[in-house]
Amino acid sequence: MKEQNILVIGAGGYIGSHLVPRLLESGYKVRCLVRDSKKITGESWFNSVEVFKGDILDLASLQHAFENVNIAYYLVHSMGNPKGDFAKLDRLAARNAGKAAKGAGVSRIIYLGGLGRRNLPQSVHLKSRHEVGNILRASSVPVTEFRAAVIIGARSLSFEMIHHLTNRLPVMICPQWVITKTQPISINDVIGYLVAAPDIPRSVDRIIDIGGPEILTYRDMMLTVAQVLGLKRWLIKVPVLTPRLSSYWVGLVTPIPIRPARALIEGLRHETVCENDDARKLFDIEPMPFVTAVQKALSTVLFSDSIIEGFVGESVIRQIEPSHILIDRQQLTVNAPVKVVFDVFTGIGGEKGWYYANWLWMIRGFIDEIFGGMGLRRGRHDAATLSVGDSLDFWRVEELETAKRLLLRAEMKVPGKAWLEFEVELIDQHKSKLTQTARFYPRGLLGICYWYGVYPLHKLVFKGLASAIARKAEASYAN
Protein backbone atom coordinates (compact mmCIF):
# COMPACT_ATOMS: atom_id res chain seq x y z
CA MET A 1 0.00 0.00 0.00
CA LYS A 2 1.40 3.39 -1.01
CA GLU A 3 1.56 6.09 1.63
CA GLN A 4 -0.62 8.63 -0.18
CA ASN A 5 -4.31 8.77 0.67
CA ILE A 6 -6.26 9.62 -2.49
CA LEU A 7 -9.63 11.36 -2.68
CA VAL A 8 -11.55 11.02 -5.95
CA ILE A 9 -14.16 13.73 -6.35
CA GLY A 10 -16.63 12.50 -8.95
CA ALA A 11 -15.97 8.77 -8.60
CA GLY A 12 -19.41 7.98 -10.00
CA GLY A 13 -18.68 9.71 -13.30
CA TYR A 14 -17.19 8.31 -16.47
CA ILE A 15 -13.54 9.17 -15.74
CA GLY A 16 -13.79 8.49 -12.01
CA SER A 17 -15.23 5.01 -12.46
CA HIS A 18 -12.24 4.11 -14.66
CA LEU A 19 -9.68 5.84 -12.45
CA VAL A 20 -10.56 4.31 -9.08
CA PRO A 21 -9.71 0.66 -9.92
CA ARG A 22 -6.41 1.73 -11.50
CA LEU A 23 -5.47 3.67 -8.36
CA LEU A 24 -6.31 0.64 -6.24
CA GLU A 25 -4.17 -1.56 -8.48
CA SER A 26 -1.30 0.89 -7.97
CA GLY A 27 -1.53 0.40 -4.22
CA TYR A 28 -3.18 3.65 -3.13
CA LYS A 29 -5.74 3.94 -0.36
CA VAL A 30 -8.71 5.46 -2.14
CA ARG A 31 -11.60 7.52 -0.79
CA CYS A 32 -14.57 8.50 -2.96
CA LEU A 33 -16.73 11.60 -2.59
CA VAL A 34 -20.16 11.12 -4.14
CA ARG A 35 -23.49 12.85 -3.82
CA ASP A 36 -25.37 9.56 -4.11
CA SER A 37 -23.54 6.37 -3.08
CA LYS A 38 -26.00 4.29 -5.12
CA LYS A 39 -24.16 5.42 -8.25
CA ILE A 40 -21.13 3.31 -7.33
CA THR A 41 -22.61 0.43 -5.32
CA GLY A 42 -22.58 -1.77 -8.43
CA GLU A 43 -18.89 -1.18 -9.13
CA SER A 44 -16.56 -4.13 -8.56
CA TRP A 45 -14.28 -1.89 -6.46
CA PHE A 46 -17.00 -0.52 -4.15
CA ASN A 47 -15.98 -2.57 -1.11
CA SER A 48 -12.30 -1.61 -1.54
CA VAL A 49 -12.75 2.15 -1.04
CA GLU A 50 -13.93 4.57 1.63
CA VAL A 51 -17.15 6.28 0.61
CA PHE A 52 -18.07 9.77 1.79
CA LYS A 53 -21.42 11.29 0.87
CA GLY A 54 -21.25 14.99 0.11
CA ASP A 55 -22.37 17.61 -2.37
CA ILE A 56 -19.56 19.57 -3.99
CA LEU A 57 -21.95 22.55 -4.12
CA ASP A 58 -22.30 22.46 -0.31
CA LEU A 59 -19.01 23.34 1.39
CA ALA A 60 -20.17 22.18 4.83
CA SER A 61 -20.71 18.64 3.52
CA LEU A 62 -17.10 18.31 2.33
CA GLN A 63 -15.17 18.79 5.56
CA HIS A 64 -14.63 15.20 6.65
CA ALA A 65 -14.03 13.84 3.14
CA PHE A 66 -10.78 15.85 2.79
CA GLU A 67 -9.31 14.92 6.19
CA ASN A 68 -5.92 13.12 6.01
CA VAL A 69 -5.96 13.26 2.19
CA ASN A 70 -2.67 13.77 0.34
CA ILE A 71 -3.95 14.08 -3.23
CA ALA A 72 -7.42 14.96 -4.51
CA TYR A 73 -8.57 14.20 -8.05
CA TYR A 74 -11.12 16.75 -9.23
CA LEU A 75 -13.29 15.13 -11.92
CA VAL A 76 -16.67 16.84 -11.66
CA HIS A 77 -18.50 19.23 -13.94
CA SER A 78 -22.07 20.51 -14.02
CA MET A 79 -22.89 20.35 -17.74
CA GLY A 80 -25.71 17.87 -17.16
CA ASN A 81 -26.93 19.47 -13.92
CA PRO A 82 -30.59 20.55 -14.29
CA LYS A 83 -30.33 23.14 -11.50
CA GLY A 84 -29.25 26.04 -13.72
CA ASP A 85 -26.25 27.77 -15.30
CA PHE A 86 -23.59 25.03 -15.43
CA ALA A 87 -20.69 27.52 -15.63
CA LYS A 88 -21.91 29.25 -12.48
CA LEU A 89 -22.27 25.90 -10.71
CA ASP A 90 -18.79 24.86 -11.85
CA ARG A 91 -17.33 28.03 -10.33
CA LEU A 92 -19.03 27.37 -6.99
CA ALA A 93 -17.95 23.71 -6.98
CA ALA A 94 -14.31 24.58 -7.74
CA ARG A 95 -14.20 27.24 -4.99
CA ASN A 96 -15.63 24.78 -2.48
CA ALA A 97 -13.15 22.07 -3.45
CA GLY A 98 -10.24 24.52 -3.24
CA LYS A 99 -11.29 25.78 0.21
CA ALA A 100 -11.83 22.26 1.56
CA ALA A 101 -8.50 21.05 0.17
CA LYS A 102 -6.57 24.02 1.58
CA GLY A 103 -8.26 23.69 4.98
CA ALA A 104 -7.36 19.99 5.19
CA GLY A 105 -3.76 20.49 4.08
CA VAL A 106 -4.08 18.55 0.82
CA SER A 107 -0.71 18.59 -0.95
CA ARG A 108 -2.00 18.49 -4.54
CA ILE A 109 -5.12 18.64 -6.68
CA ILE A 110 -5.09 16.77 -10.00
CA TYR A 111 -7.71 18.13 -12.37
CA LEU A 112 -8.88 16.97 -15.80
CA GLY A 113 -10.06 19.87 -17.93
CA GLY A 114 -10.51 20.54 -21.62
CA LEU A 115 -8.22 21.50 -24.47
CA GLY A 116 -8.74 24.80 -26.29
CA ARG A 117 -6.69 27.72 -27.58
CA ARG A 118 -5.49 29.63 -24.55
CA ASN A 119 -5.55 33.11 -26.10
CA LEU A 120 -8.65 32.83 -28.30
CA PRO A 121 -12.40 33.07 -27.52
CA GLN A 122 -13.90 29.77 -26.43
CA SER A 123 -17.34 28.25 -26.10
CA VAL A 124 -19.04 28.52 -22.72
CA HIS A 125 -18.19 24.87 -22.05
CA LEU A 126 -14.46 25.16 -22.81
CA LYS A 127 -14.19 28.53 -21.09
CA SER A 128 -15.73 26.97 -17.97
CA ARG A 129 -13.25 24.07 -18.07
CA HIS A 130 -10.33 26.52 -18.10
CA GLU A 131 -11.91 28.72 -15.44
CA VAL A 132 -12.22 25.77 -13.07
CA GLY A 133 -8.47 25.17 -13.33
CA ASN A 134 -7.79 28.84 -12.52
CA ILE A 135 -10.10 28.74 -9.49
CA LEU A 136 -8.43 25.60 -8.13
CA ARG A 137 -5.02 27.24 -8.52
CA ALA A 138 -6.28 30.35 -6.73
CA SER A 139 -6.83 28.19 -3.61
CA SER A 140 -3.00 28.09 -3.29
CA VAL A 141 -3.07 24.28 -3.29
CA PRO A 142 -0.58 23.01 -5.94
CA VAL A 143 -2.49 21.86 -9.04
CA THR A 144 -1.70 19.52 -11.91
CA GLU A 145 -4.15 20.29 -14.70
CA PHE A 146 -4.48 17.93 -17.62
CA ARG A 147 -6.34 19.16 -20.67
CA ALA A 148 -7.90 16.72 -23.12
CA ALA A 149 -10.25 16.99 -26.10
CA VAL A 150 -12.53 14.14 -27.22
CA ILE A 151 -11.98 11.09 -25.02
CA ILE A 152 -12.46 7.87 -26.96
CA GLY A 153 -14.13 5.19 -24.89
CA ALA A 154 -17.44 3.43 -24.43
CA ARG A 155 -19.77 5.72 -22.42
CA SER A 156 -17.77 8.89 -23.06
CA LEU A 157 -20.48 11.45 -23.90
CA SER A 158 -18.59 13.08 -26.77
CA PHE A 159 -17.61 9.73 -28.28
CA GLU A 160 -21.10 8.28 -27.86
CA MET A 161 -22.54 11.25 -29.77
CA ILE A 162 -20.24 10.37 -32.68
CA HIS A 163 -21.05 6.66 -32.28
CA HIS A 164 -24.83 7.24 -32.32
CA LEU A 165 -24.78 9.57 -35.33
CA THR A 166 -22.50 7.29 -37.32
CA ASN A 167 -24.40 4.11 -36.50
CA ARG A 168 -27.87 5.48 -37.15
CA LEU A 169 -27.51 7.75 -40.19
CA PRO A 170 -26.28 6.48 -43.59
CA VAL A 171 -26.30 10.07 -44.88
CA MET A 172 -25.50 12.97 -42.56
CA ILE A 173 -26.20 16.63 -43.26
CA CYS A 174 -23.40 18.20 -41.25
CA PRO A 175 -22.60 21.73 -40.07
CA GLN A 176 -19.28 23.50 -40.51
CA TRP A 177 -17.86 22.04 -37.29
CA VAL A 178 -17.25 18.67 -38.95
CA ILE A 179 -14.00 20.10 -40.36
CA THR A 180 -12.82 21.50 -37.01
CA LYS A 181 -9.52 19.99 -35.91
CA THR A 182 -9.17 18.13 -32.66
CA GLN A 183 -6.74 15.71 -31.01
CA PRO A 184 -8.71 12.77 -29.60
CA ILE A 185 -7.24 10.50 -26.95
CA SER A 186 -8.12 7.03 -25.66
CA ILE A 187 -9.64 6.67 -22.19
CA ASN A 188 -6.85 4.17 -21.44
CA ASP A 189 -4.23 6.84 -22.04
CA VAL A 190 -6.10 9.51 -20.07
CA ILE A 191 -6.25 7.19 -17.06
CA GLY A 192 -2.58 6.35 -17.57
CA TYR A 193 -1.62 10.02 -17.24
CA LEU A 194 -3.84 10.56 -14.20
CA VAL A 195 -2.48 7.51 -12.35
CA ALA A 196 1.14 8.35 -13.14
CA ALA A 197 0.93 12.01 -12.06
CA PRO A 198 1.47 11.53 -8.28
CA ASP A 199 4.87 9.95 -9.01
CA ILE A 200 5.99 12.79 -11.32
CA PRO A 201 7.03 15.76 -9.12
CA ARG A 202 7.69 17.94 -12.17
CA SER A 203 4.01 17.71 -13.14
CA VAL A 204 3.05 19.93 -10.18
CA ASP A 205 1.88 23.48 -11.02
CA ARG A 206 1.64 22.71 -14.71
CA ILE A 207 -1.05 22.73 -17.38
CA ILE A 208 -0.34 19.60 -19.41
CA ASP A 209 -2.05 19.08 -22.76
CA ILE A 210 -2.73 15.43 -23.56
CA GLY A 211 -3.86 13.99 -26.87
CA GLY A 212 -3.44 11.09 -29.23
CA PRO A 213 -0.81 10.98 -32.00
CA GLU A 214 -3.15 12.34 -34.72
CA ILE A 215 -4.86 15.68 -35.32
CA LEU A 216 -8.19 14.90 -36.98
CA THR A 217 -11.43 16.57 -38.00
CA TYR A 218 -14.78 15.36 -36.71
CA ARG A 219 -15.47 14.18 -40.25
CA ASP A 220 -12.33 12.02 -40.06
CA MET A 221 -13.46 10.57 -36.73
CA MET A 222 -16.99 9.73 -37.92
CA LEU A 223 -15.72 8.04 -41.07
CA THR A 224 -13.22 5.99 -39.03
CA VAL A 225 -15.97 4.91 -36.61
CA ALA A 226 -18.07 3.89 -39.62
CA GLN A 227 -15.14 1.91 -41.03
CA VAL A 228 -14.61 0.06 -37.74
CA LEU A 229 -18.34 -0.75 -37.58
CA GLY A 230 -18.26 -1.95 -41.18
CA LEU A 231 -20.67 0.74 -42.37
CA LYS A 232 -20.60 3.06 -45.40
CA ARG A 233 -21.42 6.68 -44.57
CA TRP A 234 -21.80 9.89 -46.57
CA LEU A 235 -21.30 13.29 -44.92
CA ILE A 236 -22.66 16.41 -46.63
CA LYS A 237 -21.46 19.73 -45.18
CA VAL A 238 -23.85 22.70 -45.20
CA PRO A 239 -23.31 26.23 -43.78
CA VAL A 240 -26.76 26.78 -42.26
CA LEU A 241 -26.79 24.43 -39.26
CA THR A 242 -26.16 26.49 -36.11
CA PRO A 243 -25.10 24.84 -32.81
CA ARG A 244 -28.68 25.29 -31.58
CA LEU A 245 -30.17 23.56 -34.63
CA SER A 246 -27.45 20.90 -34.53
CA SER A 247 -28.24 20.13 -30.88
CA TYR A 248 -31.94 19.72 -31.74
CA TRP A 249 -30.95 17.35 -34.55
CA VAL A 250 -28.68 15.34 -32.23
CA GLY A 251 -31.50 15.21 -29.66
CA LEU A 252 -33.90 13.95 -32.34
CA VAL A 253 -31.80 11.12 -33.75
CA THR A 254 -29.85 10.10 -30.63
CA PRO A 255 -30.74 9.59 -26.95
CA ILE A 256 -28.29 12.36 -25.89
CA PRO A 257 -30.14 15.19 -24.07
CA ILE A 258 -30.29 18.51 -25.93
CA ARG A 259 -28.65 20.60 -23.21
CA PRO A 260 -25.31 18.74 -22.94
CA ALA A 261 -25.41 18.15 -26.71
CA ARG A 262 -25.59 21.91 -27.31
CA ALA A 263 -22.72 22.59 -24.89
CA LEU A 264 -20.60 19.98 -26.65
CA ILE A 265 -21.44 21.24 -30.13
CA GLU A 266 -20.66 24.83 -29.15
CA GLY A 267 -17.20 23.59 -28.20
CA LEU A 268 -16.80 21.72 -31.48
CA ARG A 269 -16.60 25.02 -33.36
CA HIS A 270 -13.15 25.66 -31.84
CA GLU A 271 -9.93 23.76 -32.48
CA THR A 272 -8.87 21.59 -29.56
CA VAL A 273 -5.30 20.50 -30.13
CA CYS A 274 -2.27 20.26 -27.84
CA GLU A 275 -0.26 23.46 -27.46
CA ASN A 276 2.61 21.99 -25.45
CA ASP A 277 4.47 18.68 -25.38
CA ASP A 278 4.93 18.44 -21.61
CA ALA A 279 3.11 15.10 -21.63
CA ARG A 280 5.79 13.59 -23.84
CA LYS A 281 8.61 15.10 -21.81
CA LEU A 282 7.29 14.09 -18.38
CA PHE A 283 5.50 10.76 -18.90
CA ASP A 284 6.57 7.44 -20.33
CA ILE A 285 3.29 7.01 -22.19
CA GLU A 286 2.87 6.44 -25.93
CA PRO A 287 -0.77 7.30 -26.76
CA MET A 288 -2.47 4.77 -29.01
CA PRO A 289 -3.59 5.62 -32.58
CA PHE A 290 -7.17 6.79 -33.05
CA VAL A 291 -8.32 3.69 -34.92
CA THR A 292 -7.00 1.45 -32.13
CA ALA A 293 -8.81 3.55 -29.52
CA VAL A 294 -12.04 3.25 -31.52
CA GLN A 295 -11.65 -0.52 -31.87
CA LYS A 296 -11.24 -0.82 -28.10
CA ALA A 297 -14.21 1.47 -27.44
CA LEU A 298 -16.41 -0.54 -29.81
CA SER A 299 -15.00 -3.97 -29.00
CA THR A 300 -18.21 -5.13 -27.33
CA VAL A 301 -20.36 -4.31 -30.37
CA LEU A 302 -18.03 -5.48 -33.12
CA PHE A 303 -19.09 -8.62 -34.86
CA SER A 304 -15.86 -10.59 -34.92
CA ASP A 305 -15.38 -12.32 -31.55
CA SER A 306 -11.63 -12.38 -32.19
CA ILE A 307 -11.52 -8.60 -31.70
CA ILE A 308 -13.12 -8.69 -28.27
CA GLU A 309 -10.43 -8.59 -25.61
CA GLY A 310 -10.16 -7.65 -21.96
CA PHE A 311 -13.73 -8.33 -20.86
CA VAL A 312 -13.30 -11.72 -19.20
CA GLY A 313 -15.47 -12.03 -16.11
CA GLU A 314 -17.50 -8.91 -16.85
CA SER A 315 -20.73 -8.84 -18.81
CA VAL A 316 -20.36 -7.57 -22.36
CA ILE A 317 -23.76 -5.90 -22.04
CA ARG A 318 -22.57 -3.75 -19.14
CA GLN A 319 -19.72 -2.43 -21.29
CA ILE A 320 -22.14 -0.99 -23.88
CA GLU A 321 -23.59 2.45 -23.30
CA PRO A 322 -27.25 1.68 -22.35
CA SER A 323 -28.62 4.29 -24.77
CA HIS A 324 -27.55 2.05 -27.67
CA ILE A 325 -29.54 -0.95 -26.42
CA LEU A 326 -33.15 -1.63 -27.46
CA ILE A 327 -35.03 -3.63 -24.82
CA ASP A 328 -38.10 -5.78 -24.33
CA ARG A 329 -38.64 -6.73 -20.68
CA GLN A 330 -41.26 -9.07 -19.19
CA GLN A 331 -41.76 -9.43 -15.42
CA LEU A 332 -44.05 -11.92 -13.73
CA THR A 333 -44.78 -13.15 -10.23
CA VAL A 334 -44.53 -16.96 -10.19
CA ASN A 335 -46.10 -19.14 -7.54
CA ALA A 336 -43.06 -21.39 -7.28
CA PRO A 337 -39.70 -21.29 -5.45
CA VAL A 338 -36.61 -19.76 -7.04
CA LYS A 339 -34.92 -23.09 -7.80
CA VAL A 340 -37.96 -24.44 -9.63
CA VAL A 341 -38.19 -21.37 -11.85
CA PHE A 342 -34.44 -21.47 -12.50
CA ASP A 343 -34.58 -25.15 -13.48
CA VAL A 344 -37.38 -24.41 -15.94
CA PHE A 345 -35.69 -21.60 -17.86
CA THR A 346 -32.31 -23.33 -17.87
CA GLY A 347 -34.02 -26.39 -19.38
CA ILE A 348 -35.16 -24.48 -22.43
CA GLY A 349 -34.27 -25.34 -26.04
CA GLY A 350 -33.05 -28.50 -27.71
CA GLU A 351 -35.56 -31.34 -27.73
CA LYS A 352 -37.73 -29.56 -25.12
CA GLY A 353 -38.27 -26.64 -27.48
CA TRP A 354 -39.05 -23.06 -26.45
CA TYR A 355 -42.25 -23.63 -24.44
CA TYR A 356 -44.31 -21.14 -26.49
CA ALA A 357 -45.00 -20.86 -30.25
CA ASN A 358 -42.32 -23.42 -30.93
CA TRP A 359 -43.25 -23.39 -34.62
CA LEU A 360 -42.22 -19.71 -34.81
CA TRP A 361 -38.82 -20.56 -33.32
CA MET A 362 -38.50 -23.34 -35.95
CA ILE A 363 -39.33 -20.88 -38.73
CA ARG A 364 -36.73 -18.44 -37.33
CA GLY A 365 -34.18 -21.25 -37.32
CA PHE A 366 -35.05 -22.13 -40.93
CA ILE A 367 -34.63 -18.48 -42.01
CA ASP A 368 -31.31 -18.38 -40.19
CA GLU A 369 -30.07 -21.40 -42.13
CA ILE A 370 -31.14 -19.80 -45.44
CA PHE A 371 -28.92 -16.81 -44.63
CA GLY A 372 -25.94 -18.99 -43.70
CA GLY A 373 -26.56 -19.40 -39.96
CA MET A 374 -26.67 -22.60 -37.94
CA GLY A 375 -30.42 -22.48 -37.20
CA LEU A 376 -31.70 -24.77 -34.46
CA ARG A 377 -29.75 -27.84 -35.54
CA ARG A 378 -27.13 -27.58 -32.76
CA GLY A 379 -29.64 -28.20 -29.99
CA ARG A 380 -28.19 -28.47 -26.48
CA HIS A 381 -24.84 -29.84 -25.39
CA ASP A 382 -26.55 -31.62 -22.48
CA ALA A 383 -30.29 -32.03 -21.95
CA ALA A 384 -30.05 -31.66 -18.17
CA THR A 385 -27.30 -29.08 -17.49
CA LEU A 386 -25.88 -25.87 -18.87
CA SER A 387 -22.41 -24.33 -18.54
CA VAL A 388 -20.92 -21.03 -19.66
CA GLY A 389 -19.83 -21.40 -23.29
CA ASP A 390 -22.39 -24.11 -24.17
CA SER A 391 -24.33 -23.76 -27.41
CA LEU A 392 -28.11 -23.67 -27.09
CA ASP A 393 -29.77 -23.85 -30.52
CA PHE A 394 -28.75 -20.54 -32.12
CA TRP A 395 -27.72 -19.04 -28.76
CA ARG A 396 -24.56 -19.31 -26.65
CA VAL A 397 -24.49 -19.33 -22.83
CA GLU A 398 -22.56 -16.18 -21.92
CA GLU A 399 -23.22 -16.05 -18.16
CA LEU A 400 -24.82 -18.41 -15.66
CA GLU A 401 -25.43 -17.85 -11.95
CA THR A 402 -26.94 -20.85 -10.16
CA ALA A 403 -30.51 -20.30 -8.94
CA LYS A 404 -30.38 -16.72 -10.16
CA ARG A 405 -29.61 -15.87 -13.78
CA LEU A 406 -29.01 -17.09 -17.33
CA LEU A 407 -27.66 -14.86 -20.10
CA LEU A 408 -27.75 -16.07 -23.70
CA ARG A 409 -25.98 -14.36 -26.61
CA ALA A 410 -27.54 -14.75 -30.06
CA GLU A 411 -25.50 -16.46 -32.76
CA MET A 412 -28.19 -16.34 -35.43
CA LYS A 413 -27.83 -13.96 -38.37
CA VAL A 414 -29.13 -10.55 -37.25
CA PRO A 415 -28.05 -6.98 -38.13
CA GLY A 416 -26.66 -6.35 -34.67
CA LYS A 417 -25.95 -8.12 -31.41
CA ALA A 418 -28.71 -9.71 -29.32
CA TRP A 419 -29.03 -11.19 -25.84
CA LEU A 420 -31.80 -12.97 -23.97
CA GLU A 421 -31.59 -12.89 -20.18
CA PHE A 422 -33.62 -14.72 -17.53
CA GLU A 423 -33.45 -13.74 -13.87
CA VAL A 424 -35.31 -15.06 -10.84
CA GLU A 425 -35.57 -13.37 -7.43
CA LEU A 426 -36.99 -14.57 -4.12
CA ILE A 427 -40.28 -13.06 -2.97
CA ASP A 428 -40.97 -15.63 -0.27
CA GLN A 429 -40.52 -19.37 0.23
CA HIS A 430 -43.23 -20.24 -2.29
CA LYS A 431 -43.13 -17.26 -4.64
CA SER A 432 -40.59 -15.74 -7.04
CA LYS A 433 -40.23 -12.86 -9.47
CA LEU A 434 -39.25 -13.79 -13.03
CA THR A 435 -37.62 -11.14 -15.22
CA GLN A 436 -37.03 -11.91 -18.89
CA THR A 437 -35.11 -9.30 -20.89
CA ALA A 438 -34.36 -9.26 -24.61
CA ARG A 439 -31.65 -6.76 -25.60
CA PHE A 440 -30.52 -5.71 -29.05
CA TYR A 441 -27.67 -3.49 -30.26
CA PRO A 442 -28.66 -2.47 -33.81
CA ARG A 443 -25.97 -2.37 -36.47
CA GLY A 444 -26.75 0.71 -38.53
CA LEU A 445 -30.15 1.77 -39.84
CA LEU A 446 -30.87 -1.79 -41.00
CA GLY A 447 -30.58 -2.99 -37.41
CA ILE A 448 -33.04 -0.37 -36.17
CA CYS A 449 -35.48 -1.23 -38.97
CA TYR A 450 -35.13 -4.92 -38.12
CA TRP A 451 -35.95 -4.38 -34.43
CA TYR A 452 -39.00 -2.22 -35.00
CA GLY A 453 -40.13 -4.21 -38.04
CA VAL A 454 -40.35 -7.50 -36.13
CA TYR A 455 -41.12 -5.95 -32.73
CA PRO A 456 -44.86 -6.81 -32.76
CA LEU A 457 -43.98 -10.47 -33.36
CA HIS A 458 -41.14 -10.36 -30.82
CA LYS A 459 -43.45 -8.79 -28.27
CA LEU A 460 -45.96 -11.61 -28.76
CA VAL A 461 -43.31 -14.33 -28.56
CA PHE A 462 -41.39 -12.90 -25.60
CA LYS A 463 -44.56 -12.26 -23.61
CA GLY A 464 -45.78 -15.79 -24.36
CA LEU A 465 -42.39 -17.28 -23.47
CA ALA A 466 -42.29 -15.62 -20.05
CA SER A 467 -45.86 -16.73 -19.31
CA ALA A 468 -45.08 -20.28 -20.44
CA ILE A 469 -42.03 -20.46 -18.13
CA ALA A 470 -44.19 -19.27 -15.23
CA ARG A 471 -46.93 -21.81 -15.96
CA LYS A 472 -44.46 -24.67 -16.34
CA ALA A 473 -42.73 -23.75 -13.05
CA GLU A 474 -46.04 -23.53 -11.20
CA ALA A 475 -47.20 -26.87 -12.60
CA SER A 476 -43.87 -28.50 -11.69
CA TYR A 477 -44.08 -27.14 -8.14
CA ALA A 478 -47.69 -28.21 -7.72
CA ASN A 479 -46.79 -31.77 -8.66
Side-chain angles (χ1 to χ4, degrees):
M1 181 72 68
K2 292 191 177 183
E3 292 183 2
Q4 290 103 325
N5 293 322
I6 301 287
L7 173 65
V8 178
I9 308 166
Y14 175 65
I15 300 296
S17 63
H18 283 75
L19 175 63
V20 170
R22 290 283 299 276
L23 291 172
L24 291 170
E25 289 172 9
S26 296
Y28 292 107
K29 183 178 180 181
V30 179
R31 179 182 298 176
C32 298
L33 175 65
V34 292
R35 188 169 57 245
D36 181 4
S37 60
K38 292 179 181 178
K39 288 192 68 174
I40 62 173
T41 52
E43 299 286 357
S44 59
W45 43 261
F46 179 74
N47 293 322
S48 301
V49 300
E50 284 186 281
V51 178
F52 280 75
K53 291 182 66 175
D55 187 344
I56 196 67
L57 300 175
D58 178 11
L59 180 59
S61 71
L62 307 180
Q63 180 181 355
H64 297 298
F66 282 79
E67 290 178 354
N68 302 315
V69 166
N70 302 104
I71 296 173
Y73 283 88
Y74 189 84
L75 305 172
V76 298
H77 62 81
S78 305
M79 191 168 63
N81 195 314
K83 291 183 179 179
D85 182 346
F86 72 81
K88 181 179 179 181
L89 295 175
D90 275 341
R91 286 192 289 272
L92 175 59
R95 291 191 192 104
N96 287 344
K99 288 178 183 177
K102 180 175 174 56
V106 173
S107 62
R108 183 165 25 154
I109 296 173
I110 300 175
Y111 165 58
L112 178 62
L115 278 175
R117 298 292 187 184
R118 287 158 169 74
N119 299 318
L120 292 177
Q122 299 292 339
S123 69
V124 175
H125 168 58
L126 292 177
K127 183 179 178 181
S128 175
R129 297 285 78 211
H130 293 184
E131 189 177 24
V132 166
N134 293 334
I135 292 171
L136 293 174
R137 279 185 287 275
S139 70
S140 77
V141 177
V143 174
T144 298
E145 178 180 352
F146 290 102
R147 289 184 176 179
V150 177
I151 296 176
I152 306 303
R155 304 196 176 202
S156 163
L157 183 60
S158 53
F159 177 71
E160 292 300 351
M161 183 172 71
I162 295 170
H163 181 185
H164 273 296
L165 289 171
T166 305
N167 191 35
R168 295 188 175 198
L169 300 175
V171 179
M172 286 180 265
I173 307 299
C174 301
Q176 293 283 352
W177 54 256
V178 296
I179 59 171
T180 302
K181 293 179 180 178
T182 188
Q183 199 162 347
I185 183 171
S186 164
I187 178 63
N188 300 61
D189 294 324
V190 171
I191 299 303
Y193 284 116
L194 291 172
V195 173
D199 292 328
I200 310 293
R202 291 174 58 206
S203 68
V204 179
D205 288 328
R206 284 179 183 260
I207 297 174
I208 303 170
D209 294 353
I210 56 175
E214 303 119 315
I215 295 175
L216 304 169
T217 66
Y218 286 87
R219 181 181 186 277
D220 296 331
M221 291 194 292
M222 286 190 278
L223 291 177
T224 299
V225 170
Q227 179 186 355
V228 171
L229 288 172
L231 301 171
K232 186 69 175 177
R233 292 295 180 257
W234 291 267
L235 277 65
I236 303 171
K237 181 170 67 70
V238 297
V240 296
L241 280 178
T242 65
R244 179 183 290 271
L245 289 175
S246 296
S247 66
Y248 290 146
W249 175 241
V250 169
L252 177 66
V253 300
T254 80
I256 296 172
I258 290 176
R259 183 176 177 182
R262 185 181 302 171
L264 284 174
I265 291 169
E266 285 278 1
L268 301 185
R269 296 187 302 171
H270 305 280
E271 285 192 2
T272 48
V273 299
C274 295
E275 297 182 73
N276 64 49
D277 63 350
D278 288 355
R280 181 186 60 80
K281 293 176 181 177
L282 298 174
F283 296 87
D284 186 21
I285 293 174
E286 189 71 32
M288 68 180 68
F290 177 71
V291 67
T292 304
V294 171
Q295 288 170 340
K296 285 184 175 292
L298 298 177
S299 60
T300 52
V301 296
L302 294 177
F303 304 97
S304 169
D305 289 338
S306 63
I307 298 176
I308 298 176
E309 299 174 349
F311 296 99
V312 177
E314 188 166 6
S315 173
V316 169
I317 292 175
R318 295 191 185 96
Q319 296 298 315
I320 303 175
E321 162 58 38
S323 62
H324 289 280
I325 303 293
L326 302 172
I327 290 177
D328 176 88
R329 178 169 285 122
Q330 307 290 330
Q331 287 189 321
L332 293 172
T333 298
V334 185
N335 293 313
V338 164
K339 187 179 185 306
V340 174
V341 179
F342 179 80
D343 288 344
V344 170
F345 65 64
T346 54
I348 208 164
E351 293 184 1
K352 292 183 180 179
W354 286 80
Y355 301 160
Y356 178 79
N358 207 48
W359 60 278
L360 286 174
W361 291 93
M362 294 175 68
I363 291 173
R364 182 63 181 89
F366 176 70
I367 293 172
D368 191 54
E369 290 188 44
I370 290 176
F371 284 93
M374 72 285 296
L376 298 176
R377 61 177 180 264
R378 294 189 311 189
R380 290 174 60 110
H381 174 72
D382 186 287
T385 62
L386 281 180
S387 300
V388 172
D390 282 355
S391 60
L392 179 59
D393 294 331
F394 44 42
W395 302 88
R396 177 79 59 183
V397 179
E398 188 163 280
E399 295 183 14
L400 182 65
E401 297 178 63
T402 303
K404 185 176 182 180
R405 178 171 171 266
L406 169 66
L407 178 65
L408 302 175
R409 184 185 75 247
E411 293 187 334
M412 76 281 281
K413 296 292 184 179
V414 289
K417 270 189 165 308
W419 295 266
L420 183 58
E421 182 181 43
F422 303 94
E423 295 178 281
V424 59
E425 298 176 56
L426 175 70
I427 296 178
D428 61 37
Q429 187 178 355
H430 306 288
K431 191 178 295 184
S432 309
K433 182 172 78 171
L434 170 67
T435 302
Q436 174 190 286
T437 308
R439 295 182 176 89
F440 183 66
Y441 169 85
R443 181 178 182 268
L445 185 61
L446 177 61
I448 295 173
C449 292
Y450 167 81
W451 173 266
Y452 288 108
V454 301
Y455 186 72
L457 185 60
H458 276 172
K459 188 73 174 177
L460 174 68
V461 171
F462 290 141
K463 184 176 182 179
L465 175 59
S467 297
I469 290 171
R471 288 194 301 270
K472 190 172 181 67
E474 290 173 348
S476 176
Y477 182 54
N479 294 329

